C-alpha cells in the first residue's frame, strides 16, 4: 500500500512476521468463537467494511417474519461489528401498526425482540427477549436509550466512564455486570423506515476490541437503515397475513351443524408463510331427508383476491345446495359461475352428499385430490373418483360415483396444503397421509390429528383444510322408510304409516297436518310422477316427509282461481309447513316438506 501504482515489492521479513502475528491472533479469536475476517480491527480497510455491509442483504431479512428479521440483525452484528447486540421493537409495530413519530414525555412501550453476544459477555443482564418495558423519565435525565428514541438520532459513548453504565443498562444489577465484564464502548441507533420509528438497536464492545469510532457510527447507521426496511416489510406482510386470515376465518363456517348418522369435524390450518394464505375453504350443510352435503374447495392463488373468490364460490355452492341439486350438477353450475368472475380465477372442488338411509356417499370432483376412505377396521384407500376439470376451465360435465360406507368408517376430505411439500413429490406425500390415517385412533382422527402430519417448517408453504366425517354405528332412530304401492290406495297407506309412526314417537299433535301433507305429496306423485315410489319420515331438529317418484317435472305452486277444483295442494303445504322443496334424482325426483317439532 506504500509503494507507487503498478509497483510490486517483495515481502520483507518484518512484514512476514506481522502477517504471522495477525494469523496467530485470528486463530486465537476463532478459538473464542469469533470470526476473524469480520472483527473491526484498527487496520481494517474501507473495502472490507463495504464487503461486510454488502453481505447484510443476504443474511438479514431472509424471511418475512418480524422477530426472525430482528434476530438476524443481531446475529449479523455479532461478532463482526460488536461483541453484544440487542434489538428492541415498539409494541405497536409488533401488533402490525405503523411506526411512531413520538412526541410524548417518555418513549413508547417496547419489547425486547432479539439478543446476541459472544461467550465472554454471556453473563450480562439485558431485558429478556419477549418482555416489554417502558423507558420512563428516570432520575438520570440524560438516559441514553431514551434520547436515541426521542430524537431519532444515534448515541455513541466511545469510552464509557463509571457513571455511563446506569444510563445504558436497564437495572443497577445489569450495570454492575457490564462493568465486571469489561464493556467499554456503547452505540445505539434508531430503526427508522419511511420516517417512522420502529425500534432501536444497541451495540457494545468488550475487552480485546477497539472502542467505537465515527466510522463505526456511520456503518451502524447505514446498517440500521437497511435493517429497518426489512423489519417494516415484515410488519406489512404480517399485517396483510392477519387481515387475510381474519377474512378467511370469517368466510368459513363458525360451527359444524349436527347431522343424522354422521359426525363431522373440520379444521383450518393457515400457513406460516404470509404468501400461503388465501382460498382454501370447506362447508357442511344439512339437506332435506337427513342428507348432509360436505364440500371442500381450493382457489388457486393466494392473498385477498383468492380469499374473496373463495367467499363468492362458497356462497354460490350453498345456494345451489339449498336447491338440493345433485353434486355433479352443482359442479357444473359452479364452473359457469367461476367463468363469470372478473379476475378469471380457477378452483378445485370436491362435493359429497351423505344419505343416512343407506349409509352411502355420492361424490363428484372438479380437479381436487381424491378423498380417503377408512373402513373402520384398520385399512384406508383413496377413492377411485373421476377427476373432472377444475372450476373455471370450462370443461363439463362431471361424473359422480356412489359408494357405501361401513359403520365406524371415516371419509377424509382435504386440500393440497395438507400434503404438498417442497422436498417430496405428491405421490409420496399421499401415501404418507394414508399411512398416518391408518395409524391414528378414531378419536384422534376425528379430532384433527392429521393436521399434525402436514409438512412442517420451511417444507410447508400453503394453508390446509381437513374435514373428517365419521359414520355413526347405526342408522338414526328418527328415520323410517317404506315402499308405497302404485295404485290409488297409496295415499291411504301413507297416512296410516305416518300416523302410527308419529304415535310411536309421541308426536301425535303433528298427525293432522302430516296426514294432509303426505296425502298431497302422494296425490301429486300419482297424477304427475307415474306413481309414488318410497315414503321417508325423518325426525331430527324438524320433522321431514319425503315422497319419491319417477316423473321428470319438478312441482311448482300454481295460481288457482276460485272456480278451479284443484291446484291448491302445494299452496296448503306452503302455508302449513316451515318449508318445502324438490330435487332431481337418478331415477326421477323427490318432493319433501318440513314441519317444526313441538317445543
Amino acid at each position: 500500500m506504500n509503494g507507487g501504482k503498478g509497483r510490486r515489492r517483495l515481502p520483507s521479513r518484518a512484514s512476514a512476521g506481522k502477517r504471522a502475528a495477525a494469523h496467530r491472533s485470528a486463530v486465537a479469536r476463532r478459538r473464542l468463537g469469533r470470526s476473524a475476517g469480520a472483527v473491526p480491527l484498527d487496520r481494517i480497510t474501507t473495502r472490507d467494511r463495504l464487503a461486510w455491509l454488502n453481505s447484510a442483504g443476504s443474511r438479514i431479512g431472509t424471511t418475512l417474519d418480524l422477530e426472525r428479521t430482528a434476530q438476524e440483525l443481531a446475529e449479523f452484528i455479532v461478532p463482526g461489528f460488536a461483541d453484544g447486540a440487542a434489538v428492541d421493537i415498539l409494541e405497536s409495530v409488533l401488533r402490525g401498526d405503523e411506526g411512531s413519530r413520538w412526541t410524548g414525555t417518555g418513549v413508547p412501550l417496547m419489547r425486547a425482540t432479539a439478543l446476541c453476544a459472544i461467550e465472554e459477555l454471556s453473563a450480562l443482564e439485558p431485558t429478556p427477549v419477549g418482555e416489554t418495558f417502558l423507558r420512563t423519565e428516570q432520575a438520570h435525565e440524560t438516559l441514553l436509550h431514551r434520547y436515541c428514541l426521542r430524537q431519532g438520532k444515534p448515541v455513541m459513548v466511545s469510552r464509557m466512564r463509571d457513571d455511563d453504565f446506569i444510563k445504558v443498562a436497564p437495572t443497577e444489577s445489569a450495570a454492575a455486570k457490564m462493568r465486571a465484564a469489561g464493556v467499554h464502548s456503547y452505540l445505539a441507533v434508531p430503526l427508522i423506515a419511511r420516517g417512522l420509528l420502529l425500534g432501536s438497536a444497541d451495540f457494545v464492545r468488550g475487552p480485546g476490541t477497539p472502542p467505537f469510532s465515527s466510522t463505526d457510527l456511520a456503518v451502524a447507521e447505514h446498517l440500521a437503515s437497511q435493517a429497518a426496511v426489512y423489519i417494516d416489510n415484515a410488519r406489512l406482510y404480517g399485517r396483510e397475513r392477519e387481515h387475510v386470515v381474519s377474512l378467511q376465518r370469517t368466510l368459513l363456517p363458525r360451527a359444524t351443524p349436527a347431522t343424522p348418522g354422521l359426525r363431522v369435524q373440520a379444521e383450518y390450518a393457515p400457513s406460516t408463510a404470509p404468501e400461503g394464505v388465501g382460498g382454501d375453504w370447506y362447508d357442511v350443510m344439512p339437506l332435506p331427508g337427513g342428507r348432509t352435503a360436505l364440500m371442500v374447495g381450493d382457489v388457486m392463488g393466494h392473498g385477498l383476491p383468492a380469499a374473496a373468490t373463495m367467499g363468492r364460490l362458497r356462497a354460490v355452492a350453498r345456494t345451489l345446495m339449498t336447491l338440493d341439486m345433485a353434486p355433479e350438477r352443482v359442479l357444473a353450475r359452479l364452473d359457469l359461475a367461476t367463468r363469470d368472475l372478473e379476475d378469471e380465477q380457477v378452483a378445485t372442488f370436491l362435493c359429497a352428499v351423505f344419505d343416512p338411509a343407506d349409509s352411502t356417499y355420492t361424490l363428484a370432483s372438479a380437479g381436487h385430490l381424491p378423498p380417503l376412505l377408512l373402513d373402520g377396521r384398520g385399512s384406508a384407500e383413496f377413492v377411485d373418483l373421476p377427476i373432472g376439470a377444475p372450476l373455471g376451465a370450462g370443461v363439463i360435465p362431471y361424473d359422480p360415483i356412489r359408494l357405501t360406507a361401513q359403520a365406524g368408517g371415516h371419509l377424509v376430505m382435504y386440500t393440497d396444503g395438507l400434503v404438498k411439500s417442497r422436498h417430496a413429490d405428491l405421490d409420496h406425500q399421499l401415501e404418507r397421509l394414508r399411512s398416518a390415517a391408518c395409524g391414528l385412533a378414531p378419536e384422534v382422527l376425528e379430532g384433527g390429528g392429521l393436521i399434525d402430519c402436514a409438512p412442517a417448517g420451511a417444507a410447508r408453504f400453503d394453508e390446509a383444510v381437513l374435514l373428517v366425517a365419521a359414520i355413526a354405528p347405526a342408522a338414526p332412530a328418527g328415520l323410517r322408510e317404506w315402499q308405497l304401492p302404485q295404485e290409488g290406495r297409496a295415499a291411504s297407506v301413507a297416512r296410516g304409516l305416518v300416523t302410527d309412526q308419529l304415535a310411536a314417537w309421541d308426536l301425535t299433535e303433528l298427525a293432522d297436518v302430516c296426514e294432509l301433507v303426505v296425502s298431497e305429496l302422494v296425490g301429486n306423485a300419482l297424477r304427475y310422477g307415474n306413481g309414488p315410489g318410497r315414503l321417508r319420515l325423518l325426525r331430527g331438529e324438524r320433522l321431514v316427509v319425503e315422497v319419491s317418484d319417477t316423473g321428470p317435472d319438478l312441482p311448482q305452486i300454481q295460481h288457482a282461481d276460485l272456480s278451479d277444483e284443484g291446484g291448491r295442494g302445494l299452496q296448503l303445504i306452503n302455508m302449513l309447513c316451515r318449508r318445502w322443496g324438490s330435487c332431481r334424482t337418478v331415477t326421477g325426483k323427490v318432493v319433501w316438506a318440513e314441519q317444526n317439532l313441538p317445543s
Side-chain angles (χ1 to χ4, degrees), residues 91 231 279 281 283 335 345 349 435 522 552 554:
E91 183 69 14
I231 291 174
W281 60 282
D283 210 343
D335 177 79
Q345 291 275 13
F349 182 69
S435 300
V522 172
L554 298 180

Side-chain angles (χ1 to χ4, degrees), residues 396-408:
I396 50 179
Y398 296 95
D399 298 322
I401 66 166
R402 188 179 180 90
L403 57 89
T404 302
Q406 302 297 325

Side-chain angles (χ1 to χ4, degrees), residues 278-308:
D280 289 21
W281 60 282
Y282 69 91
D283 210 343
V284 180
M285 285 185 63
L287 300 177
R291 295 181 297 274
T292 303
L294 310 173
M295 296 173 279
V296 170
D298 184 0
V299 177
M300 297 182 185
H302 301 97
L304 287 172

Side-chain angles (χ1 to χ4, degrees), residues 70-265:
Q71 186 62 38
E72 289 173 346
L73 170 61
E75 292 174 355
F76 181 75
I77 289 293
V78 178
F81 180 78
D83 296 329
V87 181
D88 304 323
I89 304 296
L90 270 64
E91 183 69 14
S92 59
V93 172
L94 291 171
R95 293 195 304 265
D97 298 336
E98 293 280 349
S100 173
R101 289 188 176 92
W102 191 252
T103 58
T105 56
V107 295
L109 187 66
M110 304 188 69
R111 179 181 295 178
T113 309
L115 292 172
C116 190
I118 62 174
E119 185 178 352
E120 291 84 350
L121 300 185
S122 59
L124 298 183
E125 290 183 358
T127 303
V129 171
E131 288 193 8
T132 57
F133 60 93
L134 184 63
R135 299 284 191 177
T136 58
E137 301 265 359
Q138 300 176 1
H140 305 279
E141 192 63 29
T142 58
L143 192 65
L144 299 180
H145 190 272
R146 183 177 64 84
Y147 176 84
C148 172
L149 293 171
R150 285 289 303 276
Q151 303 298 322
K153 297 179 180 179
V155 173
M156 183 178 70
V157 182
S158 183
R159 296 186 182 275
M160 298 180 69
R161 297 172 298 183
D162 188 66
D163 58 344
D164 289 328
F165 289 96
I166 192 58
K167 301 176 184 178
V168 171
T171 63
E172 294 277 359
S173 174
K177 292 270 180 88
M178 291 180 70
R179 293 190 193 95
V183 173
H184 61 80
S185 195
Y186 171 79
L187 176 59
V189 289
L191 299 174
I192 298 175
R194 296 183 295 111
L196 298 176
L197 177 68
L198 306 178
S200 66
D202 294 11
F203 313 131
V204 296
R205 286 182 179 175
T209 52
F212 289 114
S213 64
S214 58
T215 302
D216 295 325
L217 176 60
V219 170
E221 286 186 284
H222 179 85
L223 185 61
S225 176
Q226 186 177 1
V229 173
Y230 297 144
I231 291 174
D232 197 47
N233 286 341
R235 177 190 67 83
L236 292 171
Y237 273 102
R239 184 173 66 178
E240 180 182 356
R241 178 180 181 273
E242 288 299 323
H243 289 170
V244 176
V245 171
S246 177
L247 172 63
Q248 186 158 16
R249 289 192 182 278
T250 302
L251 295 174
L252 292 175
R254 295 189 177 184
T256 302
T259 54
L262 205 62
R263 298 189 306 273
V264 183
Q265 177 66 33

Side-chain angles (χ1 to χ4, degrees), residues 59 169 210 226 240 306 330 369 413 480 560:
R59 295 177 56 186
Q226 186 177 1
E240 180 182 356
V330 170
L369 291 174
M413 302 165 65
R480 293 292 182 270

Side-chain angles (χ1 to χ4, degrees), residues 18 103 106 137 196 268 306 356 425 444 451 462 485 487 576:
K18 290 180 180 179
T103 58
E137 301 265 359
L196 298 176
Y268 169 68
D425 59 43
V444 178
I451 287 289
D462 202 358
E487 61 268 17
L576 295 174

